[in-house]
Amino acid sequence: MYDMKCMNVMKFYKSIASFLLLLLPLTMSAQQEKLSMWLKQGTGERGEKLEVRGKKAEASRRAASDDRLVTVFVRTSETLTEEMLVEYGGKIYAQLGDISIITIPMSQIGKLIENPTVLRVEANQRAEVTLDTVPRVSNILPVYERTAEHQAFTGKGVVMGLVDVGFDLTHPTFYNNVSLSDYRIKAFWDQLAKPHDEKLPVGRDFLTTSDILAQGCATDGKTQAHGTHTAGIAAGSSYNMPYRGVAYESDICLVANAVSSDTMYIDTQDYYLYTSATDALGFKYIFDYAEQQGKPCVVSFSEGYTPYMDDDDLLYNDFLERLIGPGRIFVASAGNESHQLTYIDKPMGKEQAGAFLNTSKQNALYRIKSQEPVTLTFYAYTAGSTPTHQLQIAADDERWSGTIIDTLFVGNDTLAIVINSYSSAFDQQGSIAMVQLLGNKAINRMSPIAIVIGGSSQQAAVFGSATYALANRDTDPRWNDAMVSHNILGPGCLTAPICVGSTTHRLGFRNINGQWKGSLYDGEEAGLWSPFSSVGPTLDERTKPDICAPGRNVISAYSSYYREAYPTATDYDVATSEVNGRSYPWHTDSGTSMACPVAAGIIALWLQAKPDLTRDDIMGVLQRTSRQPEEALSYPNNKYGYGEIDAYRGLLDILGVTAIREISQHEPSNARIWASDGLLHIVFDNVPATPVTVTIYTTGGSVVYRFTINTNDSHVDLPLPTLSKGIYVVQLGTSGSALIRIQ
């Protein structure tokens, strides 16, 4: 036993030595508090920076002289210029007030923060798609089935932007009609494309139909398909299928960014050019395109990452706040973290609170928030319900002011513990402790380990994530304080985005092979919150998400290039369209990734109705018109936000017709209504047994037409009176109302 422990200790200190060498170039500067934590920790990916591998030794040798570029946000006390960056080898790619996005060699960051005009430098890791994969169940909503030939609001005249991965640029859903004569993707920036365009920090863009179609797919389109699906939900025309997107006549602007699983496409030299700041440049690219076209715009982002404690995103948030404005709306997914316990709360007056570590990873990351240092204890249970090993770091341990390095022995296993503390940039009174764990094997393969925080005189909390989760176990019932809370991902957790959670409507579907796919979470019900959808509050205690939208089993377009690469992975396909000798899949998926473009597409419809809507305007519409699925709850709350977004009621509110008492606040459940060629078309699902009165109102409330239908036919065409161009409201008896557009 002694020899085994000695070997583990030697391995542990060798690992830590390598890890600290990576940090050395950044932590030696007295100005390091100007840096976000991700940059302080060696500008490495979470998890990766903790791994002890051969490449880590090479990285530690390179750190002090690393000439690889990293994309970062910089806040300065005076206007940053290219001349000021010459000595650091930096280049500016965007500026909004005192915040710039630049690229700079990693070795120069320490020198940059010593410049007195530099107030803060930050960046965060690449995001991951917010696709529910545990279990992986796809999704569709009845609302995506074609309901009429032409709706009053279709997204026409609005730019629908998406930053995502895996776009199939040739999918027929991105044309406006079956004849494929009107291509709707107007601009495309592929951040992974080669060769690099010097006007952009990474990749290159394509601005003509021929150039976009010549690419076929995004660089990662053969290994990713997520963006094709989300773009189809937000804006797909459906081609010859009933799976039409929400804003199906909008102009589409796409940015293919990089997620952590895209590393195969990134040169080692360019690895750190892809950060949260690069994503922000993608959002700006879309808004800039819309401004050039003179059109309102909504950007949908179905990706996210676990924020350290929101402090890495201080400049990110401010940059986004400056990007949005009248007719410029940003929508982000909440995340799918609620299938795991991720939070421990220790309220004031409670002596201790804890839970067990629950991660399949060898290296893990947890965060502790408190006003002052806490007493932190790790217990290992190698035999029964009594801890056999423990490691305690007392609240008065002087090491809290620096870096704590220690070891928990777990039988023959070793868990290295590295703790760094810093102040929260969002809550100046708060202290954050970043707890990094390095195991000699996967932590869940060790004996049970509990993390416990103590100190009755203060409130404290532990934050994990779906990857680095927590658990309540019978091993020791004292440490059963883990719960689902505080797991909204960034950037959805920030103030600028409208953050979208998921509701469930379709509990299952039949795939292309005729198989029924209907696996459920415990307690999942149609019409209610999806049990995987992330919940608030945010890490600085704001209510999130802002809204929910259907995100369970949604059918949309899928990448034909991905299907070519994986021809047998069809369990979640429901149909194919054969176009010009190519097979295009229609696929089901679930997650807040799907809910986000639903909400974004609806907001595009609202922008068509009122192009100068601001985020605050939309939040007001959501507050007044959202469906509240659970009557027992108060709204907004940290599960639904204001509730489930209601496109139709929102349009009525924006048009100002909610004051017309005779108009129903919902569309007819048994009929479809639209206007074309001087006729009002009504198609009944069931022929009405009694006469039905049809009344047409102006948005000002005046009656311009009234007629009573008495028919045995399910399809009725009524000649319209001469009406001025514009929007009108049709009230169909007592069954509901519909908006029509007179061209």
Side-chain angles (χ1 to χ4, degrees):
M1 177 70 73
Y2 176 79
D3 290 342
M4 179 65 72
K5 285 188 176 182
C6 286
M7 290 177 64
N8 285 334
V9 170
M10 291 175 65
K11 289 179 181 178
F12 162 68
Y13 281 111
K14 185 177 180 181
S15 301
I16 292 300
S18 176
F19 174 62
L20 289 180
L21 279 171
L22 276 176
L23 300 187
L24 204 55
L26 298 181
T27 57
M28 289 185 67
S29 170
Q31 302 294 324
Q32 63 176 299
E33 289 305 318
K34 291 183 178 182
L35 289 174
S36 64
M37 180 55 70
W38 189 73
L39 288 172
K40 280 187 208 175
Q41 291 185 306
T43 320
E45 296 293 308
R46 279 174 212 176
E48 278 193 358
K49 62 179 172 290
L50 302 180
E51 292 175 3
V52 182
R53 296 179 179 173
K55 66 177 182 180
K56 187 61 71 179
E58 177 188 355
S60 65
R61 289 192 298 270
R62 294 181 55 183
S65 60
D66 202 332
D67 60 354
R68 288 179 296 174
L69 296 175
V70 59
T71 308
V72 297
F73 297 96
V74 180
R75 171 169 271 150
T76 52
S77 59
E78 59 183 64
T79 302
L80 188 65
T81 65
E82 294 283 2
E83 291 73 20
M84 294 169 62
L85 287 176
V86 168
E87 65 176 292
Y88 309 110
K91 183 176 180 179
I92 300 172
Y93 285 95
Q95 282 187 300
L96 293 177
D98 62 351
I99 302 176
S100 304
I101 296 179
I102 71 170
T103 59
I104 185 172
M106 290 167 58
S107 60
Q108 296 298 307
I109 292 178
K111 296 178 182 178
L112 179 66
I113 61 175
E114 292 175 352
N115 188 316
T117 66
V118 174
L119 304 178
R120 183 170 173 81
V121 181
E122 90 177 25
N124 212 321
Q125 62 179 322
R126 291 186 293 273
E128 295 284 358
V129 296
T130 48
L131 178 68
D132 173 39
T133 56
V134 190
R136 185 181 187 281
V137 179
S138 303
N139 64 352
I140 180 168
L141 255 194
V143 73
Y144 293 131
E145 297 174 2
R146 196 190 318 273
T147 57
E149 293 305 313
H150 190 275
Q151 301 292 333
F153 292 95
T154 61
K156 193 170 185 177
V158 178
V159 173
M160 182 72 245
L162 293 99
V163 177
D164 212 318
V165 295
F167 293 112
D168 180 346
L169 305 168
T170 70
H171 201 289
T173 201
F174 300 131
Y175 289 83
N176 221 11
N177 46 47
V178 177
S179 65
L180 304 182
S181 60
D182 184 11
Y183 186 63
R184 292 171 44 233
I185 300 177
K186 306 300 183 181
F188 172 52
W189 176 15
D190 187 342
Q191 295 187 343
L192 292 170
K194 304 289 189 299
H196 171 220
D197 185 336
E198 291 300 323
K199 71 179 181 181
L200 300 166
V202 292
R204 54 185 306 207
D205 66 343
F206 307 88
L207 300 174
T208 68
T209 295
S210 58
D211 285 347
I212 295 170
L213 288 174
Q215 298 308 301
C217 64
T219 298
D220 60 4
K222 295 181 180 180
T223 55
Q224 307 272 10
H226 189 262
T228 307
H229 199 268
T230 57
I233 292 171
S237 67
S238 81
Y239 184 59
N240 62 345
M241 289 291 172
Y243 312 121
R244 186 165 61 193
V246 182
Y248 58 88
E249 285 192 330
S250 59
D251 291 345
I252 303 171
C253 182
L254 303 177
V255 174
N257 70 333
V259 293
S260 294
S261 53
D262 276 333
T263 53
M264 69 182 77
Y265 302 105
I266 303 173
D267 293 339
T268 303
Q269 188 70 17
D270 297 334
Y271 193 77
Y272 296 114
L273 283 172
Y274 298 90
T275 68
S276 56
T278 320
D279 290 339
L281 287 174
F283 309 144
K284 185 176 185 297
Y285 177 89
I286 295 171
F287 284 129
D288 287 351
Y289 170 81
E291 185 174 1
Q292 292 163 10
Q293 303 304 309
K295 295 179 179 180
C297 177
V298 56
V299 174
S300 178
F301 190 51
S302 290
E303 297 175 15
Y305 57 88
T306 303
Y308 274 85
M309 192 57 73
D310 284 359
D311 91 306
D312 265 26
D313 305 307
L314 186 64
L315 301 189
Y316 193 2
N317 186 72
D318 288 354
F319 190 86
L320 292 177
E321 285 283 3
R322 296 173 189 185
L323 274 182
I324 63 173
R328 297 162 66 100
I329 308 299
F330 179 52
V331 183
S333 55
N336 309 313
E337 301 284 288
S338 290
H339 60 275
Q340 296 281 12
L341 304 178
T342 57
Y343 179 70
I344 302 170
D345 180 41
K346 192 207 74 60
M348 187 85 70
K350 184 174 182 177
E351 184 60 38
Q352 292 180 303
F356 288 85
L357 306 181
N358 180 24
T359 176
S360 61
K361 302 294 185 180
Q362 184 174 341
N363 310 314
L365 178 68
Y366 297 88
R367 297 148 297 163
I368 299 172
K369 180 180 180 181
S370 60
Q371 296 299 311
E372 301 290 341
V374 297
T375 295
L376 176 62
T377 308
F378 291 90
Y379 294 106
Y381 296 77
T382 58
S385 59
T386 301
T388 52
H389 305 74
Q390 78 174 57
L391 171 66
Q392 185 173 89
I393 303 166
D396 58 359
D397 193 315
E398 61 183 16
R399 292 180 297 169
W400 281 112
S401 61
T403 297
I404 299 174
I405 303 174
D406 222 319
T407 311
L408 174 71
F409 292 103
V410 187
N412 291 330
D413 295 316
T414 306
L415 186 67
I417 299 168
V418 179
I419 304 173
N420 285 282
S421 298
Y422 58 96
S423 298
S424 169
F426 273 62
D427 178 4
Q428 297 301 324
Q429 303 302 313
S431 174
I432 312 301
M434 194 71 63
V435 181
Q436 300 166 319
L437 307 177
L438 298 83
N440 66 315
K441 63 183 179 183
I443 292 174
N444 275 354
R445 292 179 56 204
M446 299 181 184
S447 298
I449 301 168
I451 180 173
V452 179
I453 49 175
S456 61
S457 61
Q458 63 173 308
Q459 191 274 337
V462 176
F463 300 83
S465 66
T467 302
Y468 309 129
L470 300 160
N472 299 321
R473 303 189 190 280
D474 294 336
T475 305
D476 192 335
R478 292 179 300 169
W479 318 132
N480 280 346
D481 296 308
M483 65 182 77
V484 174
S485 186
H486 292 73
N487 57 29
I488 301 288
L489 296 182
C493 63
L494 305 180
T495 62
I498 293 174
C499 180
V500 186
S502 172
T503 49
T504 293
H505 286 262
R506 181 65 59 87
L507 294 174
F509 63 94
R510 194 168 300 281
N511 71 8
I512 199 169
N513 304 314
Q515 301 166 321
W516 177 255
K517 297 288 184 177
S519 61
L520 301 175
Y521 290 91
D522 291 341
E524 185 171 23
E525 296 182 44
L528 299 180
W529 172 77
S530 302
F532 54 77
S533 184
S534 288
V535 297
T538 63
L539 303 181
D540 54 337
E541 304 300 329
R542 287 173 291 107
T543 300
K544 286 275 183 174
D546 298 306
I547 195 67
C548 280
R552 188 76 158 112
N553 295 325
V554 177
I555 294 177
S556 181
Y558 214 57
S559 172
S560 63
Y561 293 88
Y562 181 89
R563 183 57 66 241
E564 280 183 339
Y566 302 95
T568 62
T570 60
D571 277 359
Y572 296 94
D573 289 355
V574 298
T576 58
S577 292
E578 304 298 326
V579 182
N580 296 330
R582 190 172 185 83
S583 183
Y584 291 94
W586 300 87
H587 184 89
T588 57
D589 266 323
S590 293
T592 58
S593 276
M594 286 65 245
C596 181
V598 172
I602 289 171
I603 291 170
L605 305 184
W606 294 354
L607 286 172
Q608 183 183 0
K610 194 173 188 303
D612 61 350
L613 287 172
T614 66
R615 182 189 187 279
D616 288 345
D617 293 336
I618 290 171
M619 292 299 290
V621 174
L622 295 174
Q623 181 178 5
R624 292 186 295 271
T625 66
S626 295
R627 184 180 74 87
Q628 298 179 350
E630 296 186 46
E631 294 181 0
L633 299 178
S634 60
Y635 293 80
N637 58 58
N638 288 307
K639 189 174 179 180
Y640 291 99
Y642 282 115
E644 186 175 64
I645 191 170
D646 188 317
Y648 185 68
R649 288 191 67 195
L651 282 168
L652 294 181
D653 183 85
I654 290 165
L655 294 171
V657 300
T658 53
I660 306 174
R661 289 179 296 176
E662 295 83 1
I663 293 176
S664 301
Q665 300 294 301
H666 57 85
E667 294 179 288
S669 59
N670 64 338
R672 304 187 300 280
I673 303 172
W674 70 96
S676 65
D677 302 324
L679 297 174
L680 182 68
H681 307 278
I682 305 174
V683 176
F684 294 98
D685 295 337
N686 298 298
V687 176
T690 59
V692 176
T693 299
V694 179
T695 307
I696 300 180
Y697 295 85
T698 67
T699 55
S702 301
V703 176
V704 295
Y705 181 85
R706 182 172 279 132
F707 189 85
T708 299
I709 300 173
N710 191 357
T711 180
N712 294 322
D713 195 348
S714 62
H715 189 159
V716 177
D717 294 328
L718 300 176
L720 286 168
T722 301
L723 298 173
S724 301
K725 292 182 180 180
I727 302 298
Y728 294 84
V729 187
V730 179
Q731 179 67 35
L732 187 64
T734 59
S735 67
S737 65
L739 296 170
I740 61 170
R741 180 182 295 273
I742 303 299
Q743 305 283 13

